[in-house]
Amino acid sequence: ALACIKMTRCYLTLGKHDVAITLALQGMALNDKIIIDNPVLELSTNYNKALALASAVEVYIVQGWVNKAHRLAVEGLNLLGRSGCYDELTVEHISKLATLFAKRNQLGRSLEIIDKGMICLNLIYLLSDAQESSLR
């Protein structure tokens, strides 16, 4: 699943969005088939799915499907927050979506996605800080 998701990022950089979305959806499907029997594996699958969602969001933004991109970006943010991991592409999407909503004069939605992004980043910071403290 992770290999599929990583290949998606490669195709995104090449601008091959049709291949990227297919791989992102396949990666999510494979990830969802993983039997989660421990908390560490759950964190990993949450992170993997967030990566796949970020790739799908990238394609949907390019295609102009902003509402669908918004829904998936929020889901990805929630997964990143639960996994305690950071993904730069997801953070870039927050900025892109906020800008798109602001240009459409949907300031409430723009502020909402920024707020969700800040909450997620704060949670990731707090989790990483707690992990560092426990190692000392």
Side-chain angles (χ1 to χ4, degrees):
L2 184 56
C4 198
I5 294 165
K6 293 289 187 178
M7 287 185 350
T8 302
R9 296 285 171 102
C10 295
Y11 281 103
L12 282 177
T13 60
L14 296 173
K16 297 185 182 246
H17 297 107
D18 52 341
V19 178
I21 192 66
T22 301
L23 285 170
L25 295 174
Q26 286 177 349
M28 280 190 279
L30 289 170
N31 192 62
D32 289 343
K33 289 181 181 180
I34 296 172
I35 297 171
I36 301 171
D37 59 353
N38 66 51
V40 175
L41 183 57
E42 184 176 5
L43 294 177
S44 176
T45 57
N46 285 344
Y47 179 66
N48 292 345
K49 187 168 184 179
L51 293 179
L53 286 169
S55 299
V57 168
E58 178 76 16
V59 174
Y60 293 150
I61 288 173
V62 169
Q63 293 176 340
W65 298 349
V66 178
N67 291 330
K68 193 169 190 171
H70 175 258
R71 184 178 53 79
L72 293 181
V74 169
E75 185 180 347
L77 280 171
N78 291 335
L79 289 168
L80 284 177
R82 284 192 297 222
S83 72
C85 297
Y86 174 82
D87 176 48
E88 190 168 327
L89 187 59
T90 301
V91 175
E92 286 177 26
H93 292 144
I94 300 310
S95 176
K96 286 180 185 178
L97 288 169
T99 302
L100 286 170
F101 287 133
K103 286 180 180 177
R104 293 177 174 192
N105 207 23
Q106 296 176 318
L107 299 179
R109 292 187 83 187
S110 181
L111 291 172
E112 174 196 358
I113 193 84
I114 290 170
D115 186 48
K116 287 187 185 298
M118 293 302 294
I119 290 168
C120 174
L121 290 173
N122 191 36
L123 184 57
I124 291 169
Y125 172 76
L126 290 172
L127 287 172
S128 67
D129 193 42
Q131 288 173 350
E132 285 179 22
S133 295
S134 69
L135 293 175
R136 290 182 209 157

